[in-house]
Amino acid sequence: SCRFNDGDSSYMTKSFGTPTDNKKFTLSMWVKRGVLGATQNLMGSWADSDHHTIARFYSDDTISFYDWDNPNEGSIYTNRVYRDCSSWYHLVFIWDSANSTEADRLQIWTNGVRETSLKGITDYPATTWTPSCNTSGVDIEIGRRSDGGYFDGYMAEVCFIDGLALTPTSFGEFDEDSPTIWKPKDVSGLTFGNNGFYLDFEASDNLGNDANGG
C-alpha cells in the first residue's frame, strides 16, 4: 500500500494521451481512511474550474462521483457513510455515459456491492457526453484534485481501466471460506487500454511505477 498524507500534500499524477474510449472508464482502488469529517479527493481530472471529474469523500463522510460542466453533467452521491478507519474499503467507480440504461452510466461499488441508496441530487449524463477524465491533455491525479482537498490514508491496488466498464469481480472476490469477506484478486490479466494503469506500490523507491507496463 501507499500512505497519502494530507499534511504534506502528497498525491500522484499521470498525463493522459488519446483514450481508447473517453465515454467509458473504470477506477478501482482499495482505501483505508486516516481522517474523517473532511472533504478528501480520491481522484481528480481537472481541465479547469468549470470542467473536471471528481471521486471523493465529502465532509459528512459520504462519497460523490461526478463530472462538472458548470453545472453538473453527471453526478451521484451516496447516502452511505464511510467512517471505519480500521478497515479497507474496495471502491469501484464506473463511468459509462454511452450506456443505453441511464442509471448504469454512473456507478459506485463498495466491497463488491453496488451503492443504490443515493441522494436526491443524482444526475445522469447524456449518452453523447464525454467527461474531463480520460481526455487527451488532461491529467489524472490520485489523492487530490488540482484546487486541493488531499486524501489522507492508505491506498492499494489502484487500477484505471480506459475503455471498459468493469464490475468489481474483475478486481475482487468473496473469500471461499469466509463468504462475507471481500478480498483482492490478480488483475494482471486485465485489458487496461491506452490511458490505463495499475499501481501496486510494490517498489518503495518507485511508488508511481505502472505495474501494467505503462
Side-chain angles (χ1 to χ4, degrees), residues 4 10-12 27-33 39-45 53-58 62-65 82 89-93 108 140-145 148-155 158 197 199:
F4 291 77
S10 54
Y11 70 100
M12 292 182 170
L27 174 65
S28 166
M29 53 175 56
W30 291 77
V31 173
K32 188 175 184 181
R33 301 195 68 186
T39 297
Q40 297 186 330
N41 294 285
L42 297 165
M43 178 276 288
S45 282
T53 310
I54 305 292
R56 67 178 180 179
F57 291 109
Y58 264 117
T62 60
I63 285 181
S64 65
F65 178 39
Y82 298 76
Y89 295 107
H90 179 224
L91 303 175
V92 176
F93 302 91
I108 300 172
I140 187 172
E141 296 177 331
I142 301 299
R144 77 155 194 175
R145 71 180 198 179
Y150 294 87
F151 172 68
D152 190 281
Y154 294 86
M155 289 190 189
V158 177
F197 57 85
L199 301 175

Side-chain angles (χ1 to χ4, degrees), residues 49-129:
S49 60
D50 287 333
H51 305 87
H52 46 270
T53 310
I54 305 292
R56 67 178 180 179
F57 291 109
Y58 264 117
S59 57
D60 62 358
D61 300 315
T62 60
I63 285 181
S64 65
F65 178 39
Y66 65 89
D67 185 67
W68 180 259
D69 188 53
N70 197 20
N72 286 4
E73 180 58 37
S75 59
I76 53 176
Y77 301 76
T78 69
N79 280 312
R80 175 178 178 159
V81 295
Y82 298 76
R83 292 176 175 153
D84 187 352
C85 290
S86 65
S87 299
W88 286 89
Y89 295 107
H90 179 224
L91 303 175
V92 176
F93 302 91
I94 299 171
W95 180 283
D96 187 10
S97 54
N99 197 306
S100 59
T101 302
E102 184 181 59
D104 288 342
R105 295 174 195 165
L106 281 176
Q107 301 176 42
I108 300 172
W109 295 69
T110 308
N111 296 339
V113 178
R114 184 172 177 177
E115 297 295 335
T116 55
S117 178
L118 303 173
K119 295 181 180 179
I121 48 180
T122 295
D123 180 28
Y124 295 106
T127 56
T128 56
W129 188 252

